[in-house]
Amino acid sequence: MRGHGLLLVLCTLAGVGCRNQEEKLFQDLMSNYNRDLRPARGDEIIDVSLKLTLTNLISLNEREETLTTNVWIEMQWTDYRLSWDPKKYDNIQLLRVPSTMVWLPDVVLENNIDGTFEITLYTNVLVSPDGSIYWLPPAIYRSVCVIHVTYFPFDWQNCTMVFQSQTYSANEINLLLTVEDGQTVEWIFIDPEAFTGTMARSTVLIFLRSSSSVGHSLVPCGAHANHQSSPSSLHWGLEAQWPTGTVGLTWHHHNAENGEWAIKHRPARKIINSDHFTPDDIQYQQIIFYLIIQRKPLFYIINIIVPCVLISAMGVLVYFLPAKAGGQKCTVSINVLLAQTVFLFLIAQKVPETSQAVPLIGKYLTFLMVVTVVIVVNAVIVLNVSLRTPNTHSMSQRVRQVFLQLLPRYLGMAMPEETPGPPQAIRRRSSLGLMVKADEYMLWKARTELLFEKQKERDGLMKTVLEKIGRGLESGSTQDFCQSLEEAGPEIRACVEACNYIANATREQNDFGSESEEWMMVGQVIDRVCFFIMASLFVCGTVGIFLVAHFNQAPALPFPGDPKLYLPE
């Protein structure tokens, strides 16, 4: 127990001595330091290297044209005023200093959209004995990303994050991309453990400050940090001798890959004098990080495209309703049109309000609405044709030949064949028609014949004729029989004329019904022709739209004409 106690006392004294040396070093460095002055000797240009680490692609708001990202901005430069001799300070190789107490290059995000140019948290800077400064602040940026909606939702976007110094020109600081292992980091670094959804283990050190400590965080004695490492590896690099008064806390965090966008390219470039500056102007420099991302359209396919295609297919199926069911056809088609309008309204709420281009899915919905409107117009036309009668329209021979003979053969429709010769057998008709024709016959007769109307209604016309002929037969003489026939002649003639009239009226009614059926058959043929046209148009339009979407992929190279991939070798 005494050995353990002695060891604990020695470690405590070593920790206190280490903190005292760091405090002394901090006070010596900050005694005559002015953070408002650029750390340059004369006209020296300060090199500031940048590296961007993407930890989360949070969202891309198409309507506001805003890209939201969670990043770490790695900046390195040299400040000769913060150099020291490690031998004089117990071989301290690294010192943490609050970033608000040292000179900063004022590198900000220029194309932000919310007015937040700076970082989210001013973390400490890591200072080396030679004056090299390593700063890795986190930030959540909302940058401008111009959205091209031509192929939405099968589109890809090219978003940029533009960094430049708001205070210093190219004659004072030189913005560069970080160099690691002899290779320039010309890409956005993505930490696999923090971005692709794997479990990342992180360690937090909580320093218990005493009343004699300075107002800044201290680095554990003997700790080593890799200036060129990623944020996660920097945390791991601090595993060394734990100073007295610190507590190690470990937790797990899980960041999943963005479910809507896939990163295709992530190059970085330094731009000097963009298009709106003259070649003589050397004051303008930028570090631009590009994010070329491809949308994952599964959400829109399942929730918008597939329901819209199925509902529109129902609009095409109205052609299977009878030709005379025009009202039902119009009802179904108008309901489909209303559903398509709702889908179009949902898409309009998603994309930005621009007149430069129409989204691909908007074009498709408009195409389906046009097809549905044509179906409604076709239903009205077919209903008009099907309900025509010989009293209002006469069918020409050309119409009969085209719609009743030529087109049905190519459409596979079975049409009744016309039989030459005598007319077809008379169909059973309702007695109502015969009663109407009988009334017309009574009006057609002479008024003198109506004197015996009551008797004929009581006994019947044929009974009167047979009685007259029967009286002639009862006498047995030929003269009486001829005389009875002569007496019954007018009744027989009227009976024959009445039968002929009823037969002619029935034949006319059959011809009337036959021509009405022909008009209905013409409507059926028009319906079948329009069905094939609309179905073909619907299928070809749908397949064509999706083929155009399939071939709209992100380019194989980040920049046209540049074969470089801007990725680590």
Side-chain angles (χ1 to χ4, degrees), residues 52-241:
L52 189 69
T53 300
L54 179 65
T55 60
N56 192 5
L57 177 59
I58 299 176
S59 66
L60 177 60
N61 191 323
E62 294 89 350
R63 191 171 183 84
E64 297 181 358
E65 298 185 299
T66 304
L67 175 68
T68 305
T69 53
N70 187 0
V71 299
W72 295 76
I73 308 169
E74 178 183 309
M75 286 182 278
Q76 299 182 55
W77 67 92
T78 300
D79 192 340
Y80 71 94
R81 297 172 295 179
L82 297 178
S83 60
W84 72 89
D85 186 1
K87 297 179 180 180
K88 296 181 181 180
Y89 299 95
D90 289 345
N91 199 26
I92 295 178
Q93 298 294 330
L94 194 65
L95 180 67
R96 234 173 234 187
V97 180
S99 57
T100 55
M101 301 181 68
V102 299
W103 176 86
L104 299 177
D106 288 341
V107 176
V108 298
L109 179 69
E110 181 193 11
N111 62 332
N112 72 86
I113 200 171
D114 56 357
T116 304
F117 291 88
E118 300 177 348
I119 59 176
T120 303
L121 176 65
Y122 278 86
T123 59
N124 295 334
V125 298
L126 300 179
V127 185
S128 300
D130 60 351
S132 299
I133 297 179
Y134 178 89
W135 190 31
L136 188 67
I140 296 179
Y141 283 129
R142 298 181 72 244
S143 55
V144 177
C145 182
V146 179
I147 301 298
H148 301 279
V149 300
T150 305
Y151 295 98
F152 177 87
F154 303 93
D155 56 334
W156 59 272
Q157 305 296 335
N158 187 1
C159 300
T160 59
M161 301 179 68
V162 181
F163 290 90
Q164 71 174 24
S165 177
Q166 293 292 93
T167 307
Y168 302 99
S169 66
N171 295 326
E172 295 171 321
I173 67 171
N174 183 25
L175 295 180
L176 301 171
L177 292 171
T178 301
V179 178
E180 294 181 357
D181 300 329
Q183 184 182 9
T184 303
V185 182
E186 297 180 308
W187 55 84
I188 298 176
F189 183 80
I190 295 179
D191 187 1
E193 293 184 349
F195 190 82
T196 58
T198 58
M199 294 298 295
R201 184 178 183 273
S202 303
T203 303
V204 177
L205 303 181
I206 303 176
F207 292 91
L208 303 179
R209 300 191 179 115
S210 63
S211 58
S212 61
S213 63
V214 296
H216 64 283
S217 301
L218 302 178
V219 176
C221 299
H224 299 283
N226 182 10
H227 288 196
Q228 309 297 331
S229 61
S230 62
S232 59
S233 61
L234 180 62
H235 292 306
W236 288 91
L238 295 178
E239 295 182 0
Q241 298 178 3

Side-chain angles (χ1 to χ4, degrees), residues 196-395:
T196 58
T198 58
M199 294 298 295
R201 184 178 183 273
S202 303
T203 303
V204 177
L205 303 181
I206 303 176
F207 292 91
L208 303 179
R209 300 191 179 115
S210 63
S211 58
S212 61
S213 63
V214 296
H216 64 283
S217 301
L218 302 178
V219 176
C221 299
H224 299 283
N226 182 10
H227 288 196
Q228 309 297 331
S229 61
S230 62
S232 59
S233 61
L234 180 62
H235 292 306
W236 288 91
L238 295 178
E239 295 182 0
Q241 298 178 3
W242 299 93
T244 304
T246 64
V247 178
L249 177 62
T250 302
W251 86 97
H252 296 272
H253 64 88
H254 183 277
N255 289 332
E257 186 179 359
N258 188 275
E260 187 177 1
W261 298 95
I263 299 177
K264 295 299 182 179
H265 302 287
R266 42 190 172 92
R269 274 184 171 181
K270 177 181 178 180
I271 304 297
I272 300 177
N273 294 340
S274 60
D275 297 336
H276 55 278
F277 282 83
T278 62
D280 297 333
D281 190 355
I282 61 172
Q283 311 287 328
Y284 188 83
Q285 58 178 345
Q286 292 178 333
I287 299 293
I288 302 180
F289 296 94
Y290 299 86
L291 269 178
I292 301 177
I293 52 180
Q294 179 88 39
R295 188 189 301 273
K296 301 175 183 178
L298 182 61
F299 173 82
Y300 297 95
I301 292 177
I302 298 299
N303 293 281
I304 293 181
I305 296 177
V306 171
C308 190
V309 170
L310 295 178
I311 291 176
S312 302
M314 292 175 56
V316 178
L317 293 179
V318 300
Y319 286 105
F320 289 94
L321 293 175
K324 288 187 176 181
Q328 290 82 350
K329 289 183 179 182
C330 293
T331 301
V332 174
S333 300
I334 291 175
N335 289 335
V336 171
L337 189 62
L338 292 176
Q340 293 169 350
T341 305
V342 172
F343 283 114
L344 189 61
F345 179 72
L346 294 176
I347 295 300
Q349 289 183 327
K350 184 69 176 176
V351 298
E353 298 175 355
T354 177
S355 300
Q356 297 179 352
V358 179
L360 184 64
I361 190 172
K363 295 178 183 178
Y364 181 63
L365 289 175
T366 305
F367 162 75
L368 293 180
M369 293 176 66
V370 171
V371 171
T372 306
V373 170
V374 172
I375 291 175
V376 173
V377 174
N378 176 43
V380 174
I381 294 175
V382 170
L383 184 63
N384 177 273
V385 173
S386 301
L387 298 181
R388 289 183 179 183
T389 62
N391 293 335
T392 57
H393 299 82
S394 61
M395 183 179 297

Side-chain angles (χ1 to χ4, degrees), residues 44 283 365 476 485 492 562:
E44 180 185 3
Q283 311 287 328
L365 289 175
L485 288 177
I492 295 174
D562 188 355

Side-chain angles (χ1 to χ4, degrees), residues 472-490:
L473 294 175
E474 290 177 357
S475 62
S477 62
T478 306
Q479 185 177 2
D480 293 338
F481 178 71
C482 293
Q483 187 177 359
S484 63
L485 288 177
E486 184 179 356
E487 293 176 355

